[in-house]
Amino acid sequence: MGSSSYPGLLSVSIGREGVRFVVMRKLLVYLKDYKKETVFAPLFKMLEATFELFVPLVMAAVIDRGIKNADTPYVLKMGGILVALGLIGLVCSITAQYFAARAAVGFSAKLKSALFAHLQSLSFTEMDTLGTSTMITRMTSDVNQVQNGVNMVLRLFLRSPFIVFGAMIMAFTIDVKAAFLFVVTIPLLAVVVCGITAITMPMYRRVQAGLDSVLGATRENLTGARVIRAFHKEEEEIAGFEQKNDTLANLQLYVGRISALTNPVTYIIINAATILLLYTGAVRVDEGSITQGQVVALVNYMSQILVELVKLANLIITITKALACANRIEAIFEVKSSMQWECLTKDSGLEAEKNGRTAGEEPAVEFDHVHLTYAGAGAESLSDIDIKVRRGQTIGVIGGTGSGKSSLVNMIPRFYDATQGTVRVNGRDVKEYGMETLREKIGVVPQRAVLFRGTIRENLQWGKKNATDEELWEALSLAQAKSFVEEKEGGLDAPVAQEGRNFSGGQRQRLTIARALVGKPEILILDDSASALDYATDAALRQALKTLQKTTVFIVSQRASSIQHADQIVVLEDGEMVACGTHETLLKDCQVYQEIYFSQFEKPKGAEA
């Protein structure tokens, strides 16, 4: 691995080759603005450790000279030195803590920002594959674990080994024979710590995966709480959650028990070494080879090693968790969007489109023998869709649940790419557009009306950033939302709660329609976005949309009344287009359309059964 400018930030990973140390280079890039902190934090910890290593020598001098000779002034003098060493060490420790915390928090903030931006760059295909709960866990819990790992590494990863080996070296300066106990003890402890780490690291990855599962179940239950209660499924959902939660708890307990072995095993080895050291020291004192103060110094050095190895063992556990989480975060960064966007601008890439618009020859939207298969799906969701839509037309899309209505319109703004065939807008393949250029042409109102916390004005300006009040009121009027917005205190500046919870379902739908209309799109897609509207409001909305003569409108609906006045109606069944035509033609010739229509309207008398 290449070298890093960030001292101490080595992490342990387990591969087929066993335990190896690698640098988390992909994530360490987010520490580049904190180089000073990543240097000063371990540096001040090393200074603290250096002063700490002098303490046993001072104590040895107090015993061998001050106490032995009853020299009170000397004892007080050396006591003052001990206090000074303690105060200097405290200042160094606080300074190191400050720099480590600053670097870790800054690193976490930049990592979260980069991860969020990366997730936003992924297509719907990748988001569907990853899953919402996984993305939330990695944005929160995993990043926090890595932040904690960076903080602990900066503070302790160099300090603990420095004191361990420093204490061993200092022991050799006192007595070589006694110090050989240190040479045996330290490698033995290293084997224990590394062995436990090798066992627990894969388990911590499974713990985080279990956390994904619990979070997914929690999110699903909270989102669908009303449905669960409506069908009286509370007990079943509680049982399912408890099963996932118990699985996670048992796994955490299991890995926790293994990790917990570190401290007792370490204490056993260290205490055994201390007993041998006291015995050896006593023999050496009896021989006159070393003094009593030097024995005390040796025991103090062994105690320092004990404390630091316990810290190091806990640090290794923290690093193990952090690395498992870092690998999960890196796995998200390695996911690349399956969609590649051309970098066409409004000025450089659309001359052919302008010419086509002027001549009026190119269709506004064209599906050229389009097929769509979702990632991981066993069968096609859409098969051989072939439609041409002229500018200014209103197209209705109708069919049973799961027939592919949303899939069809989602390919126009390129939320999903066709697996076969071509989708064209203004005669140009949607894959040839830049993202901003394509999306500016299209206004989308999805099935689920989503509003964001803020004000009505802020939500509407998503459609056009610098829209004037006049443009906003015009869009609200078209969407049949003007009346209730005027009644709100503050009007356009009335507050919107998270997900628009302070509005009814119909009000939310009309606001989302208004948001799409603010930008005056060339193509407007209403994906079953009037389902919560009463028939009168729905009819008024359709009448208002007819005034948008230059806008091509796609209306996806379960209601035949919402699309029966469209210029063309596309009828879908099991992902196939079974018919396309006007209401009158389809009512005469299309059995699927007849079944849908007469399930909602009374059959005329004398009609065939």
Side-chain angles (χ1 to χ4, degrees), residues 363 376 545 558:
L545 292 177
Q558 301 275 9

Side-chain angles (χ1 to χ4, degrees), residues 36-49:
K36 178 180 72 174
E37 286 82 356
T38 56
V39 171
F40 283 156
L43 177 62
F44 277 97
K45 272 295 180 180
M46 299 277 278
L47 286 173
E48 178 201 1

Side-chain angles (χ1 to χ4, degrees), residues 252-461:
Q252 287 177 317
L253 287 171
Y254 184 66
V255 68
R257 290 189 188 101
I258 296 175
S259 296
L261 289 173
T262 306
N263 283 1
V265 173
T266 302
Y267 273 103
I268 290 171
I269 295 171
I270 285 290
N271 284 309
T274 302
I275 293 170
L276 289 174
L277 182 62
L278 287 170
Y279 175 78
T280 304
V283 173
R284 301 286 286 169
V285 168
D286 189 53
E287 293 174 352
S289 301
I290 58 175
T291 64
Q292 292 174 333
Q294 288 175 325
V295 173
V296 171
L298 288 170
V299 172
N300 280 342
Y301 282 129
M302 186 64 77
S303 298
Q304 283 184 350
I305 290 174
L306 169 62
V307 171
E308 292 306 319
L309 281 173
V310 169
K311 288 181 182 178
L312 187 60
N314 292 328
L315 173 63
I316 292 296
I317 293 171
T318 301
I319 292 176
T320 302
K321 293 179 182 178
L323 184 62
C325 294
N327 289 338
R328 285 160 50 85
I329 294 169
E330 286 183 15
I332 295 292
F333 279 116
E334 288 170 1
V335 175
K336 302 301 179 185
S337 177
S338 57
M339 288 188 181
Q340 301 300 319
W341 292 89
E342 298 291 337
C343 297
L344 299 181
T345 64
K346 297 175 188 177
D347 300 324
S348 65
L350 303 177
E351 290 302 320
E353 178 189 326
K354 290 178 182 177
N355 294 334
R357 182 165 58 246
T358 303
E361 295 173 357
E362 295 292 344
V365 178
E366 179 182 0
F367 291 86
D368 186 2
H369 297 284
V370 168
H371 297 249
L372 174 65
T373 305
Y374 288 110
E380 289 185 332
S381 297
L382 290 173
S383 302
D384 198 27
I385 305 297
D386 193 59
I387 316 168
K388 289 185 180 180
V389 181
R390 296 195 305 272
R391 290 180 182 82
Q393 282 191 320
T394 297
I395 305 300
V397 183
I398 196 166
T401 302
S403 60
K405 302 185 298 295
S406 295
S407 299
L408 180 72
V409 294
N410 280 339
M411 288 192 289
I412 301 172
R414 207 183 167 202
F415 293 155
Y416 294 94
D417 273 338
T419 47
Q420 292 182 45
T422 306
V423 180
R424 297 187 182 92
V425 170
N426 294 337
R428 181 182 293 272
D429 190 338
V430 291
K431 295 180 182 179
E432 296 178 5
Y433 282 95
M435 181 188 292
E436 183 179 352
T437 306
L438 179 62
R439 301 280 166 81
E440 278 185 353
K441 295 177 177 298
I442 303 169
V444 180
V445 185
Q447 282 180 310
R448 183 167 173 258
V450 177
L451 296 173
F452 297 88
R453 182 185 298 169
T455 64
I456 292 175
R457 183 193 306 278
E458 289 170 348
N459 273 273
L460 294 182
Q461 285 180 335

